Amino acid sequence: MRIGMIGLGRMGGAMSRRLMKAGHECVVYARSAETREAYAKYGAVAAASLADVVKALDQRPRAIWLMLPAGEATEQAVDELADLLEPDDILIDGGNSYYKDDIRRAKTLAAKGIQYVDCGTSGGVWGIERGYCMMIGGPDPAVEHLDPIFAALAPGEGEIGRTPGREGDVSRVERGYIHAGPSGAGHFVKMVHNGIEYGMMAAYAEGLAILKGANIGSATHAVDAETTPMRDPGNYQYDMPLHDIAEVWRRGSVIASWLLDLTANALNEDPQLAKFGGRVSDSGEGRWTIQAAIDEAVPAPVLTAALYSRFSSRGEAEFQNRILSAMRFQFGGHVEKKS
């Protein structure tokens, strides 16, 4: 099958290569000519514009996959392609778009006869080898037509055993992709997936930080009215080997996961994580997950706290912390301690 791939970043480029390895043909576009030509060496057809991508897709219905940052870049590409594509052609957004944008785009494109598919894609930089877990929304005919593409990108059964009770032919979900429902459903599932990811990452980070601080009893502590005394320093005399603890947890523990595997990799490379400043970004999905939880009146304290911790990591709590210091000085004359 021939497909257009718009965006050749960390995900889009690797996905194009995985598709070509599976025998599909890719017509690729990126703003950089150097990037386009690099993928031509892998066997892709390099196009100099979105219009050239459409021209190079000689199979109908055409299928074009956007792998661009959510927001303006994706919106511009959708608008431009809406004027280039023809009825029954398929436009797939595989980035992390807001599901409400999918609903709007699908209606707009449907008026022109263009089919729109939203596909939440998880797998990161490892996906070219491991495959990509995909959460898909959109009309049945378009999803069925694209099934060979999804099957090639997905991890497949791999070594994961079947869930007890699942019988018969191996289903899409057991191969790593799901048609979750109509327009927006794919990105809604991916949105919540990423919200959960925030919470899991925060739990590992907080637990490992507690282990790192388990030798605090051997440190020298200030003795003054502004510092809570450590009553039992003898209880905190452990120098914990974090890289080994992460490693042992990977093996048979109930908290084992791929995220823990990656954490163990990082700690083994550098137990102090010296090259990281600790400013953690959020790309939108965590916020949208919490908004959905509010709309649905579903309590989500863990996911909410994980999102707020990312804000704090970037210094977003600086002013409110100044307010706290100012209040303490006003009511008690407490002078802020310098670190």
Side-chain angles (χ1 to χ4, degrees), residues 37-48:
E37 294 308 316
Y39 279 87
K41 293 178 182 178
Y42 291 124
V45 175

Side-chain angles (χ1 to χ4, degrees), residues 59-201:
Q59 299 175 350
R60 297 293 310 279
R62 302 179 185 91
I64 297 181
W65 190 303
L66 301 179
M67 210 64 196
L68 299 169
E72 184 177 355
T74 296
E75 206 69 53
Q76 289 178 350
V78 170
D79 289 345
E80 184 173 346
L81 288 166
D83 294 329
L84 296 170
L85 295 175
E86 298 178 274
D88 295 327
D89 287 346
I90 306 170
L91 184 58
I92 310 112
D93 177 12
N96 280 326
S97 289
Y98 193 20
Y99 79 97
K100 293 183 180 180
D101 291 335
D102 294 318
I103 295 171
R104 171 179 52 78
R105 291 173 191 154
K107 289 179 180 178
T108 301
L109 293 171
K112 298 187 175 187
I114 299 168
Q115 304 181 83
Y116 180 83
V117 172
D118 53 285
C119 181
T121 310
S122 181
V125 296
W126 299 83
I128 189 171
E129 299 171 0
R130 293 169 54 103
Y132 300 89
C133 175
M134 289 167 290
M135 296 139 270
I136 306 157
D140 290 346
V143 175
E144 291 297 329
H145 180 78
L146 294 168
D147 193 75
I149 295 297
F150 296 133
L153 289 170
E157 283 184 85
E159 299 178 357
I160 299 174
R162 299 194 82 175
T163 299
R166 285 193 176 270
E167 300 175 351
D169 294 339
V170 175
S171 63
R172 284 174 172 169
V173 295
E174 292 176 286
R175 286 180 279 144
Y177 62 110
I178 183 173
H179 184 194
S183 297
H187 278 143
F188 193 99
V189 176
K190 179 57 162 49
M191 172 185 79
V192 177
H193 164 286
N194 283 20
I196 293 170
E197 179 184 298
Y198 284 21
M200 292 175 66
M201 293 173 70

Side-chain angles (χ1 to χ4, degrees), residues 226 328-329 332-338:
E226 297 299 309
R328 293 187 80 243
F329 181 76
H334 301 281
V335 178
E336 186 177 73
K337 292 187 66 174
K338 305 300 180 184

